[in-house]
Amino acid sequence: MLVVLGGLYLLALHNHAEREQIRQGSVELTPGCKQKLEGYGLVAGEHYRSPYVLKRIGAGTTARGYSEEDIRAIQRGCNIVDDLQGQLAKDADRERWNATRFVRGTQTTCDHCHQGIGDKQDAAGNRLVGSNSMAASWVMADMYDRFTGLLLPHELRQMQCYINSSNGFKPNAADDLMRDVTAYSRFLSAALDLKIGNHYPEQGIDEIPASATLKRGDDYVRGAHLFKEKCAGCHGPQALGTEVQGKVIFPALAGPNSHSMDSRMNFAMVNSVMPGFICRNMPPTQEGSLENQECRDIAYYIGTLPRPAGDRQGPLVATWQQLMMTVMPPLTRYADSLSSHDSLKGAD
C-alpha cells in the first residue's frame, strides 16, 4: 500500500509540474480571442487603460495593470470560452485543461450561451440586454441563485454552467479551468469599466414570462412551425446541431449533445428563461425580431424534444429519454421524407 500511495504521489507531482510548465508557456489564441483581446488593449504593464471606455465616453480610466502571468491566464480563459472543445487547438487536452471531462457531448462550448466570447455587443459597440455577459456576471459577486436556492459567488455559479447548462460534471473550485475563465471574466469587467456590486442589463437573461405576452397560451404547433421557419436553417431540422468538417457551427438543442433536463434553459420545461434567450439573442444578426409570444412558442416546442435526463429525473426518465433520442430522429426523418414525397407528387 505504501508503494502504491508513493507512486500516486509521484504521479501527482509529475502532473503538477507539467501543468505549471503549460501555465508558463506562451498561449496560441483562437482568431476570435486574438481580435477581442487586441481590441481591448491587453498588454502587460503597471496600469491598464481600456480603449473601449476611451472610445465610448471620450475619457479613459486607469486600472491596475497585468503581469505576464495574468496575461496568459486571461488568454487561456478566453480560449476556453471561445473553444472549450479544443477544435481550434493543436493539443486540445493540454491547451484547454482537459475541459471536456466536465461536459458531455462533443458540441458544448461557453460561447453558445455567453455569445460574443462573453460580452456580446452590436456593431456600434452597445452591450445587449439579456446577453449573458460574463463581465456583468463577475461584478455581481455573490448573488442569490433561484435554481439552487443558495447565495453563490461567481466561481460556484460558473460550476453550475458545467453541471446544468453543459450537462456535465462539477470541476474543483481551484481547477486551472475555473481560474482562467474567472481571470478572463474579471478582465472583461475592467475593459468595459463595470463596477463591482452593480447590476447591469446585460447580466444574465432578460426573461419573458407569460404575463409579457397577449396570453394566447404557449402552443406546440405554432412553435414547430416557427422553429422550422426561423431556427432549423442553423440548428438543423431536428435541432441536432450543425457540424462542418467536425467543427460545430451551431449547437444542438435536442439529442445527446444538447443541454440536459436540469439545465437552466430547460428549467421546468416551459419557462421564462429560454424564451428570453431566444428573443434577445436569436436569430443571429436579427436579434429582437421575434415577438414575445413567438419566443415562448419556440421554447415550448424545443422543451418537448428528447434530451438527456438530469440528476433529478431518476433512471426511468433517463431510460425513456435515451430511447426517444434513439428512436425519434429516424422516425422524424422518415415522416419528413413522406411529406416531401407527397408535396412533389402534388406538384406533378
Side-chain angles (χ1 to χ4, degrees), residues 1 5-7 16 43 72 75 81 88 125 127 155-156 185 215 222-223 239 244 249 259 269 271 311 321 332 334-335:
M1 182 175 291
L5 292 175
H16 179 77
V43 293
R72 292 192 296 271
Q75 290 174 333
V81 174
L88 302 176
R127 306 193 300 273
E155 288 79 6
L156 294 185
S185 301
K215 298 187 179 179
R222 289 197 308 260
V244 177
I249 307 301
H259 55 272
M269 192 170 78
N271 62 77
D311 295 334
Q321 289 300 112
T332 305
Y334 178 68

Side-chain angles (χ1 to χ4, degrees), residues 41-267:
L42 177 63
V43 293
E46 187 177 350
H47 301 289
Y48 170 73
R49 292 172 66 85
S50 170
Y52 175 88
V53 176
L54 181 61
K55 180 180 178 181
R56 297 290 291 179
I57 66 176
T61 57
T62 301
R64 181 181 64 84
Y66 300 97
S67 68
E68 294 288 352
E69 185 178 358
D70 295 333
I71 297 291
R72 292 192 296 271
I74 293 165
Q75 290 174 333
R76 288 190 300 267
C78 184
N79 279 348
I80 291 166
V81 174
D82 190 31
D83 181 41
L84 183 140
Q85 297 283 345
Q87 295 175 338
L88 302 176
K90 292 179 181 178
D91 188 341
D93 290 343
R94 285 170 58 91
E95 294 180 42
R96 302 294 182 266
W97 300 126
N98 289 291
T100 52
R101 66 198 150 132
F102 299 121
V103 297
R104 293 188 178 113
T106 60
Q107 296 192 6
T108 300
T109 198
C110 310
D111 192 56
H112 292 157
C113 293
H114 303 281
Q115 297 182 354
I117 319 183
D119 67 327
K120 188 175 183 180
Q121 300 169 13
D122 62 17
N126 298 308
R127 306 193 300 273
L128 304 181
V129 174
S131 58
N132 239 355
S133 166
M134 297 181 71
S137 176
W138 186 85
V139 298
M140 282 296 292
D142 294 354
M143 63 178 289
Y144 175 73
D145 179 68
R146 67 187 178 90
F147 296 91
T148 61
L150 301 172
L151 191 66
L152 299 179
H154 178 269
E155 288 79 6
L156 294 185
R157 298 201 308 275
Q158 191 184 142
M159 284 184 185
Q160 293 297 313
C161 285
Y162 295 101
I163 299 169
N164 295 328
S165 302
S166 303
N167 184 30
F169 309 95
K170 180 177 70 175
N172 187 292
D175 193 279
D176 289 326
L177 176 72
M178 299 275 290
R179 293 164 61 191
D180 291 342
V181 172
T182 300
Y184 176 63
S185 301
R186 183 176 182 178
F187 168 71
L188 287 180
S189 70
L192 302 174
D193 194 31
L194 306 186
K195 305 302 182 184
I196 192 75
N198 287 357
H199 180 271
Y200 294 91
E202 61 269 30
Q203 193 268 327
I205 295 172
D206 189 29
E207 301 180 35
I208 298 179
S211 58
T213 71
L214 295 177
K215 298 187 179 179
R216 297 164 59 196
D218 304 327
D219 188 270
Y220 175 91
V221 175
R222 289 197 308 260
H225 173 74
L226 285 165
F227 180 88
K228 185 175 293 186
E229 183 181 275
K230 304 287 187 180
C231 314
C234 293
H235 296 286
Q238 299 190 61
L240 297 177
T242 301
E243 294 189 33
V244 177
Q245 297 180 344
K247 294 183 179 179
V248 179
I249 307 301
F250 299 103
L253 304 177
N257 286 312
S258 72
H259 55 272
S260 75
M261 295 178 72
D262 278 350
S263 169
R264 295 162 191 254
M265 285 290 184
N266 202 62
F267 191 63

